[in-house]
Amino acid sequence: MATAGKVIKCRAAVAWEPNAPLMMEEIEVAPPQEGEIRIKVVATGVCHTDLYHLFEGKDKRGFPTVLGHEGAGVVESVGPGVTDFKPGDKVIPLFLSQCGECKFCKCPKTNMCDCSWSSNYHDIMSDPTTRFTCRGQPILQFMGTSTFSEYTVINQIAVAKIVDDAPLDRVCLLGCGIATGYGAAVNTAGVTPGSVCAVFGLGAVGLAAVMGCKNAGASRIFAVDINEQKFEKAKVFGATDFLNPKAYDKPISEVLAELTNGGVDFSLECVGNTEVMRTALESCIKGWGVSVLVGWTDVKDFSAKPIQLISGKTWKGSLFGGFKSKDSVPNLVCDYMTGKIKLDEFITHKMSLEQVNDAINLMKTGDCIRCILNISK
Ligand code: NAD
Ligand code: ZN
């Protein structure tokens, strides 16, 4: 490629500061260094975690940055020492790496690779090393990825190679939201055939959790959201019962207990709200109920009555659905191509990178499940 080894100037949406619109800028993207890959981003989803960083997170040091972490693209060039990737390969950037060497990668119980930005920098949500500059300033790479840019540079431990015929404007969703929700149900919760489940929050992550419960053989899936517009989609993914907590004058955990003779077997919190996390735990049945935190928040502590756990419930959390990222994402792409999992049904809007602020507003108002931004051809 004519660009290999050179700095690339390209378009990117820069978040200069929290709580402000992103700005379209020309940025410089340095060539990949040892073990790194430069990727031409083709498409990206907008996830609530992008909005969390921009509007909700308490730590404001993670700026200026290029947001976006749910993308797919094509390898432009590779740095020294990269042998598993070549220009032209289709890839998905991974916000959670899999180095294969650390004690966490070697342990089958977890996907928490020690080499990810999240090990040391979850407060600023980026690794301070970056290959981006703009107007003479370094620009952080959000969650180590930064897909709201035409080009990005990522270490090979955080890139998954996928099949050549994968449609990038759909499989990009497997870079975060859909893998997260789906895996939280099938891996972390370990939903069993015939079980009763409740999913709180019906954005893409929650809907993917519903899909996971359904694929794991759940017999009844309660879809819980304060926005009733989401119920129709939840039905598409397999939800059987629909509850709006605002429509009841008692806690929704009590409503669920009455409807299920004691509580659900599995509950998944896909909102990112500590009160909902508590409610999801309280909605589980004593003895064996399992509740999983999927929503992302680092703003407040949560609380619960110890009896909730003493009575035999389990409270767990899940990052990227418990999937070992590099191994699993290529398989999930194949699961989509063979019809085992849905992706198209999550996509409600398509826009250009220039319209990124409109896409963010749509997420904020709850009018969209996933908006795909087409970044380049
Ligand atoms: P989203 O904004 O599209 O969906 C959130 C849904 O929650 C909306 O439908 C909203 O109406 C609903 N909701 C809000 N308050 C509620 C309440 N009190 N009770 C019930 N429902 C309520 O977001 P998303 O992109 O689907 O992401 C969901 C969460 O998952 C976010 O917190 C995001 O940061 C997190 N996330 C976590 C991981 C991970 O690896 N753990 C990965 C991706 C996203
Ligand atoms: Zn995400």
Side-chain angles (χ1 to χ4, degrees), residues 47 49 69-70 176-177 370:
C47 168
T49 311
H69 60 282
E70 196 174 78
C176 182
R370 272 299 188 260

Side-chain angles (χ1 to χ4, degrees), residues 121-153:
Y121 304 106
H122 66 90
D123 43 1
I124 63 166
M125 298 190 82
S126 346
D127 189 319
T129 35
T130 171
R131 303 286 167 252
F132 292 171
T133 50
C134 180
R135 300 172 191 255
Q137 268 190 63
I139 306 291
L140 292 171
Q141 289 184 237
F142 178 64
M143 295 173 87
T145 48
S146 288
T147 55
F148 295 171
S149 170
E150 286 181 285
Y151 288 86
T152 187
V153 177

Side-chain angles (χ1 to χ4, degrees), residues 48-49 176 203-205 225 230 270-271 294 296 318-320 370:
H48 196 106
T49 311
C176 182
V205 174
D225 201 301
K230 309 272 176 151
C270 304
V271 179
V294 192
W296 180 282
S318 179
L319 188 67
F320 199 56
R370 272 299 188 260

Side-chain angles (χ1 to χ4, degrees), residues 15-197:
W16 287 104
E17 55 183 353
N19 299 309
L22 310 189
M23 303 274 285
M24 285 307 300
E25 302 278 1
E26 183 180 82
I27 66 163
E28 297 88 38
V29 181
Q33 298 184 11
E34 180 81 27
E36 294 177 345
I37 299 172
R38 190 159 57 184
I39 297 165
K40 180 178 181 179
V41 180
V42 172
T44 181
V46 179
C47 168
H48 196 106
T49 311
D50 300 309
L51 277 71
Y52 172 84
H53 190 63
L54 191 58
F55 301 114
E56 299 160 28
K58 261 206 286 200
D59 197 309
K60 304 298 185 193
R61 289 172 303 158
F63 293 86
T65 188
V66 172
L67 298 171
H69 60 282
E70 196 174 78
V74 176
V75 174
E76 175 270 339
S77 63
V78 302
V82 175
T83 53
D84 294 346
F85 294 85
K86 59 178 188 314
D89 284 347
K90 283 190 176 173
V91 291
I92 292 183
L94 304 167
F95 74 80
L96 178 62
S97 57
Q98 186 187 352
C99 73
E101 302 293 326
C102 71
K103 69 175 177 187
F104 300 94
C105 279
K106 285 185 174 155
C107 172
K109 289 191 220 170
T110 182
N111 63 348
M112 292 296 294
C113 175
D114 218 11
C115 299
S116 216
W117 57 271
S118 55
S119 299
N120 296 311
Y121 304 106
H122 66 90
D123 43 1
I124 63 166
M125 298 190 82
S126 346
D127 189 319
T129 35
T130 171
R131 303 286 167 252
F132 292 171
T133 50
C134 180
R135 300 172 191 255
Q137 268 190 63
I139 306 291
L140 292 171
Q141 289 184 237
F142 178 64
M143 295 173 87
T145 48
S146 288
T147 55
F148 295 171
S149 170
E150 286 181 285
Y151 288 86
T152 187
V153 177
I154 304 178
N155 194 291
Q156 60 184 343
I157 63 171
V159 182
K161 183 149 110 179
I162 59 170
V163 287
D164 279 337
D165 52 346
L168 297 177
D169 60 351
R170 277 165 269 167
V171 298
C172 59
L173 295 177
L174 292 168
C176 182
I178 311 312
T180 294
Y182 184 72
V186 301
N187 300 328
T188 316
V191 171
T192 47
S195 60
V196 177
C197 301

Side-chain angles (χ1 to χ4, degrees), residues 286-313:
K286 71 178 181 199
W288 60 76
V290 175
S291 189
V292 180
L293 312 187
V294 192
W296 180 282
T297 183
D298 201 16
V299 178
K300 276 196 219 157
D301 292 351
F302 53 60
S303 61
K305 290 236 159 66
I307 188 66
Q308 290 290 325
L309 301 183
I310 294 167
S311 65
K313 301 183 189 182

Side-chain angles (χ1 to χ4, degrees), residues 11 42-46 169 347-363 367-368 370-376:
R11 289 152 51 244
V42 172
T44 181
V46 179
D169 60 351
I347 300 168
T348 50
H349 298 78
K350 289 188 177 184
M351 293 188 186
S352 66
L353 179 57
E354 279 68 19
Q355 294 169 292
V356 61
N357 290 307
D358 297 336
I360 287 172
N361 284 334
L362 275 176
M363 281 287 290
D367 289 330
C368 119
R370 272 299 188 260
C371 178
I372 303 293
L373 302 176
N374 288 304
I375 309 289
S376 49

Side-chain angles (χ1 to χ4, degrees), residues 235-266:
K235 205 171 195 172
V236 172
F237 290 102
T240 56
D241 298 76
F242 307 88
L243 298 174
N244 176 358
K246 287 193 169 162
Y248 296 86
D249 52 15
K250 57 181 159 189
I252 204 68
S253 54
E254 281 179 28
V255 175
L256 277 163
E258 283 166 15
L259 290 169
T260 59
N261 191 22
V264 300
D265 301 308
F266 300 97

